[in-house]
C-alpha cells in the first residue's frame, strides 16, 4: 500500500519523465465489483470489441481504444471520470486519462503496465 492507503501506484514508463503522479490513487478501489463483461453500446450496434475497461468512478463498462467504438474513452470524454481499470483476464492495470499514467497494483503478483 502507498502512504495514502492505495493498493495502486504509478507504473514506470520509459517514454515519459520520471516522477509522474496520479491525483486519483486514494479513490481507486482494490478490485472491481462483479461487472458485466460486455460493451453495451457495441452490442447494441452489433459490433465486436477487443478488451473492456471499467470506470472506477461509476462502474460503466466500455470497450478499449483498440476497439471500433472506443466507448471507455468516449465515457471519459463525456463525464470527466478519470480512471478505467482493464477487465482483460491477462491484464492487471488501470489508466488515468487525466494524469496520463498507467497504474499497477502494489504487492505480490502485480502485473506490469502494457508497453
Amino acid at each position: 500500500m502507498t502512504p495514502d492507503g492505495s493498493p495502486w501506484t504509478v507504473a514506470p514508463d520509459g517514454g515519459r519523465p520520471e516522477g509522474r503522479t496520479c491525483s486519483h490513487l486514494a479513490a481507486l478501489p482494490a478490485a472491481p465489483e462483479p461487472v458485466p463483461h460486455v460493451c453495451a453500446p457495441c452490442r447494441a450496434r452489433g459490433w465486436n470489441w477487443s478488451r473492456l475497461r471499467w470506470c472506477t468512478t461509476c462502474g460503466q463498462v466500455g470497450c478499449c481504444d483498440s476497439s471500433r467504438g472506443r466507448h471507455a474513452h468516449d465515457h471519459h470524454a463525456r463525464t470527466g471520470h478519470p480512471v478505467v481499470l482493464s477487465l482483460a483476464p491477462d491484464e492487471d492495470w488501470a489508466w488515468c486519462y487525466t494524469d496520463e499514467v498507467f497504474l499497477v497494483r502494489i504487492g505480490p503478483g502485480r502485473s506490469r503496465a502494457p508497453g
Side-chain angles (χ1 to χ4, degrees):
M1 297 260 180
T2 61
D4 64 3
S6 175
W8 296 91
T9 190
V10 174
D13 184 345
R16 296 178 187 245
E18 291 295 318
R20 294 178 59 97
T21 62
C22 176
S23 56
H24 308 97
L25 284 176
L28 295 182
E33 297 295 320
V35 296
H37 284 272
V38 63
C39 178
C42 281
R43 184 169 63 181
R45 291 172 176 86
W47 297 349
N48 294 321
W49 54 87
S50 296
R51 295 183 177 250
L52 298 172
R53 309 294 183 235
W54 178 73
C55 176
T56 63
T57 301
C58 71
Q60 171 77 28
V61 174
C63 58
C64 69
D65 286 358
S66 297
S67 299
R68 181 177 180 182
R70 298 183 55 194
H71 290 111
H73 187 269
D74 180 62
H75 176 73
H76 160 71
R78 287 183 295 102
T79 64
H81 294 170
V83 180
V84 291
L85 180 75
S86 175
L87 293 178
D90 61 336
E91 296 175 342
D92 189 22
W93 54 264
W95 171 255
C96 180
Y97 289 107
T98 304
D99 297 315
E100 296 185 346
V101 292
F102 279 106
L103 307 170
V104 293
R105 292 181 203 273
I106 299 171
R110 87 171 219 215
S111 307
R112 297 175 64 188

